[in-house]
Amino acid sequence: MERHHANEGDPEQKPRDQYETDALAAQYCDAHYGAEHFGVPNFPATCARICLDLMAGRGMGRALDLGCAVGRATFELARGGFERVTGLDFSTRFCRLATRLQEEGSLRYAFPEEGELLSFHEIGLAGLGLDGSRERVEFFRADACNLPENFTGYDLVLAANLIDRLYSPRRLLSTIHERINPGGLLVITSPYTWQEEFTRKEEWLGGYRAAGKNVTTLDGLKEALAPRFRQLGGPRDIPFVIRETRRKFQHSIAELTAWERL
């Protein structure tokens, strides 16, 4: 995937105003469309592939990529056969970048390498085999805990690394069935890194003790989804790497679970 990157060089040789310079946005552009690190496969592409495998023999009309960030899984689901895929994210910046990719097919970003030093990169859908899916995706800003009514009728909802960053994950899980067709799938991934700066402790799905027992997030997911879903198979571990600088990386492991709408 290196071929999708422009040359790295002296920052002064490149006009900065042509490049996305927000550090967090650059991390996600790199994680979604950049080179693999330490042999860990691309995370959003892996999630999309697992979703497509799970959808074998099922209707593949519309899919929702909830918390899509800069959109790699959205494009991958469209390439995989869905007629229409909607990507939603709370971040206006992420939605803008995903929409630019959808409209123009490429974008540029500046990546922090060391201190104030930057490298400059260009990513394109064509080189990843995703250019043909541009007409079947769309991106909007939305709050996952308070979705507008028009986002409904999906055969698949993917919520990748989202629930532990929501202010009310229980609200999402108690209403998401309203968005999914009977027999459709909900696929959730998360490293379960609950933090009070994102989610009040009383809203945590797991990661605490109650009545003298450990409560895991998987326990909380089962309890929240049981009335409307049945779990398909067991959980799977999906690793992912986020590059922060040339010499600093996050290596995490998300747990993936799949649920069928009753």
Side-chain angles (χ1 to χ4, degrees), residues 55-100:
M55 292 299 298
R58 301 173 186 268
M60 294 177 61
R62 300 174 62 215
L64 176 64
D65 184 6
L66 193 54
C68 65
V70 291
R72 176 66 181 271
T74 313
F75 289 109
E76 294 282 358
L77 290 170
R79 173 168 66 171
F82 277 95
E83 297 173 11
R84 193 74 182 167
V85 186
T86 300
L88 300 182
D89 201 276
F90 190 73
S91 166
T92 301
R93 185 181 296 272
F94 285 172
C95 289
R96 176 175 57 80
L97 293 173
T99 298
R100 185 187 302 172

Side-chain angles (χ1 to χ4, degrees), residues 29 33 68-72 74-76 78 83-87 93-108 123-126 130-140:
C29 286
Y33 301 99
C68 65
V70 291
R72 176 66 181 271
T74 313
F75 289 109
E76 294 282 358
E83 297 173 11
R84 193 74 182 167
V85 186
T86 300
R93 185 181 296 272
F94 285 172
C95 289
R96 176 175 57 80
L97 293 173
T99 298
R100 185 187 302 172
L101 268 172
Q102 189 265 333
E103 293 176 347
E104 302 177 11
S106 64
L107 61 83
R108 297 172 176 177
I123 52 180
L125 296 179
L130 297 171
D131 199 53
S133 63
R134 288 166 58 187
E135 299 305 314
R136 289 181 286 120
V137 305
E138 57 187 356
F139 296 98
F140 300 100

Side-chain angles (χ1 to χ4, degrees), residues 173-174 177 224-230 260-262:
L173 296 178
S174 66
H177 65 277
L225 295 173
R228 300 286 185 173
F229 292 87
R230 71 177 183 93
E260 182 181 48
R261 166 80 158 86
L262 299 176

Side-chain angles (χ1 to χ4, degrees), residues 5 7 78 87 109 111 124 165 182 189 198 221 230-231 244 254 262:
H5 288 246
N7 294 331
Y109 64 94
F111 200 94
R165 290 297 178 265
T189 78
F198 299 108
L221 285 171
R230 71 177 183 93
Q231 188 175 358
E244 295 186 16
L262 299 176

